[in-house]
Amino acid sequence: MNQTLSESKELLFNKAKDFCEDKGVRFTPLRAKVYQILLQEDASIGAYDILDKLKLIEDSAKPPTVYRALDFFLELGLVHKVESTNTFKACHHFGCSHPVQFLICDTCGDVKEISSEGVKETLERQALQSNFKIMTQTIEAHGICNQCQGTGIS
Amino acid sequence: MNQTLSESKELLFNKAKDFCEDKGVRFTPLRAKVYQILLQEDASIGAYDILDKLKLIEDSAKPPTVYRALDFFLELGLVHKVESTNTFKACHHFGCSHPVQFLICDTCGDVKEISSEGVKETLERQALQSNFKIMTQTIEAHGICNQCQGTGIS
DNA sequence: TGGTATTATTTTAAAATATACCAACACGCA
DNA sequence: TGCGTGTTGGTATATTTTAAAATAATACCA
C-alpha cells in the first residue's frame, strides 16, 4: 500500500490504524488517505494543501472532506492543529497522554513537536496564581531550527 | 472624548497616544476609534466584531480598515493577537518588553494576559535542547477562570 | 440474511477570517 | 509650493472553516 511513506512512517500509519480499531472507530480509506498526506509532511500543512493533494487521488474531495477527516483525527489526538499558522500535523506519539508544544521554523517551515512536562507544569503553576484551571494549552514557538542556523563557528 | 471608557482605560488610552507620538507614528482618529473599541473589551474580540462596532461611528469602515489598524497596533505591541481564537486584545503594559501568555476562559470568554518570565524561559530552555532559536512565542491556555469556578467548598 | 441503527460521505452553500490592489487624500518637510 | 510618504477609501477576492441536507456505506443484531 503506502509506498510513498518511509518505513518509520509506515509503522506509524499502521499504529494509527490499530489505534482506531482498538477504539472502535473506523479508519476508512478516505481517512487513511488524509492521514497519509499528513504523514508525508515534516512541516505542518494547511487544509487546502491537503485538499489539493487529496484531489489527485480522490476526485470528489471537497473542503468538508478534509475538515471532517481532520476533526476525526484531532479528536483522537492523532493530529494536532498549529494555531498560529492554521495548519495541521500528525502526532508521532499518540495514545500516551502527553503535553504538546511546537517549534516552528520560520525559515524552512519544519515543525517539531516536543512534549515537555516542565513547560506544561510551569504554565499551570502560573495559571494557578490567578486561580485559573487550565483544560488545554496551545504552546508554539517560532524561530530558527538547528538545520537553518549556519553551523559555522566564527 | 472617551466617555465610554473607565478611568483606568482612559489612562491607558492616553498612554497609547503618547507612546505613538513618542515613536513618531500617528495615532489617527481612525486608529483611536479602533483602539477604544479594543479597550472596551475584557474578552478578546474578533476583527469583524470590531468592524461592526466601528461601523456605528465610521460608516466607511470596511474589513481592510480594521485590519490595517490592527496591524499598526500589533506591530507596536499595543495589541496582541490570540491565535487560538483569531481574536485581538489590547495589551495593558506595552512599552516595557515582556513575555505574553493568555489565560482564556472558555465559559465567559474573558482573556487575561499574564507575563511570566518563568514560562518563557522554561520553553526557551526546552527549545535549546533541539538547538532551536526562538524568536516569538505563542502561549495560550484555555480553561475556566476564577470567576466561573463556583466558590462553594463542599 | 435481512433489518435497523449508526456512522460516513457527498454535495451545495455560505459563514468567518484575512489580504491585494489601486486611487485619492493629507500631512510633514524641503 | 511641491514632493514624498503614509493613511484612508473602496472594490474585490483569497483563505479558512462550518452548516445542512441528502445519500451511501457499514456494523450489529435477530
Side-chain angles (χ1 to χ4, degrees):
Chain A
M1 204 197 274
N2 326 307
Q3 290 158 352
T4 54
L5 295 179
S6 71
E7 196 168 341
S8 70
K9 290 185 175 173
E10 190 166 337
L11 282 174
L12 201 56
F13 181 91
N14 289 324
K15 189 179 152 207
K17 191 171 168 179
D18 293 345
F19 181 78
C20 289
E21 279 162 10
D22 286 354
K23 287 230 160 194
V25 295
R26 288 159 58 196
F27 194 76
T28 65
L30 188 58
R31 288 168 179 168
K33 286 170 190 161
V34 170
Y35 189 65
Q36 226 174 319
I37 290 168
L38 281 157
L39 278 187
Q40 281 161 7
E41 298 291 320
D42 286 327
S44 58
I45 179 171
Y48 275 70
D49 291 337
I50 294 173
L51 180 57
D52 289 343
K53 288 173 187 283
L54 183 58
K55 269 183 176 160
L56 300 175
I57 50 175
E58 190 65 43
D59 194 52
S60 70
K62 303 262 164 14
T65 316
V66 171
Y67 279 102
R68 256 194 326 254
L70 287 172
D71 286 345
F72 173 83
F73 289 123
L74 288 170
E75 194 126 339
L76 289 169
L78 268 65
V79 167
H80 300 302
K81 177 168 188 184
V82 183
E83 297 287 353
S84 58
T85 53
N86 296 315
T87 55
F88 302 87
K89 176 125 208 274
C91 175
H92 282 224
H93 52 299
F94 51 82
C96 62
S97 155
H98 63 279
V100 175
Q101 301 102 20
F102 290 115
L103 305 179
I104 302 151
C105 179
D106 291 330
T107 300
C108 68
D110 185 72
V111 175
K112 182 175 168 59
E113 179 183 343
I114 61 175
S115 186
S116 161
E117 289 290 345
V119 170
K120 178 194 166 206
E121 282 165 11
T122 306
L123 179 55
E124 263 165 6
R125 258 198 310 282
Q126 202 61 41
L128 222 50
Q129 293 189 10
S130 307
N131 193 31
F132 185 98
K133 186 175 155 58
I134 294 181
M135 308 301 290
T136 66
Q137 298 188 359
T138 299
I139 298 186
E140 302 174 4
H142 283 257
I144 308 178
C145 74
N146 183 40
Q147 292 300 319
C148 289
Q149 294 169 44
T151 50
I153 292 179
S154 76
Chain B
M1 202 196 275
N2 325 308
Q3 290 160 352
T4 54
L5 294 180
S6 71
E7 197 168 340
S8 71
K9 289 185 175 173
E10 190 167 344
L11 282 173
L12 200 57
F13 181 91
N14 289 324
K15 189 180 153 206
K17 192 170 166 179
D18 293 346
F19 181 79
C20 289
E21 278 162 12
D22 286 355
K23 287 229 159 193
V25 295
R26 289 163 56 199
F27 193 78
T28 65
L30 188 58
R31 288 167 179 167
K33 286 170 190 162
V34 170
Y35 189 65
Q36 226 173 321
I37 290 168
L38 281 158
L39 277 187
Q40 282 162 8
E41 298 291 320
D42 286 328
S44 59
I45 178 171
Y48 278 72
D49 291 337
I50 294 173
L51 179 57
D52 288 342
K53 288 173 187 283
L54 182 58
K55 269 184 176 160
L56 300 175
I57 49 174
E58 189 66 44
D59 194 52
S60 70
K62 302 262 164 13
T65 316
V66 170
Y67 281 101
R68 268 194 307 247
L70 286 173
D71 286 346
F72 173 83
F73 289 123
L74 288 170
E75 194 126 337
L76 290 168
L78 268 65
V79 167
H80 300 303
K81 178 169 186 182
V82 182
E83 297 287 352
S84 59
T85 53
N86 297 314
T87 55
F88 302 87
K89 176 125 209 271
C91 176
H92 282 223
H93 52 300
F94 51 83
C96 62
S97 154
H98 63 279
V100 176
Q101 300 103 19
F102 290 116
L103 305 179
I104 302 151
C105 179
D106 291 330
T107 299
C108 69
D110 186 71
V111 176
K112 182 175 169 62
E113 178 183 345
I114 62 175
S115 186
S116 161
E117 289 290 344
V119 170
K120 179 193 167 208
E121 282 166 11
T122 305
L123 179 56
E124 264 166 5
R125 259 198 309 282
Q126 202 61 39
L128 221 52
Q129 293 189 11
S130 306
N131 194 30
F132 185 98
K133 186 174 155 58
I134 294 181
M135 309 303 289
T136 65
Q137 298 188 358
T138 298
I139 298 186
E140 302 174 4
H142 284 257
I144 308 178
C145 73
N146 183 39
Q147 292 300 319
C148 289
Q149 293 170 45
T151 50
I153 291 178
S154 76

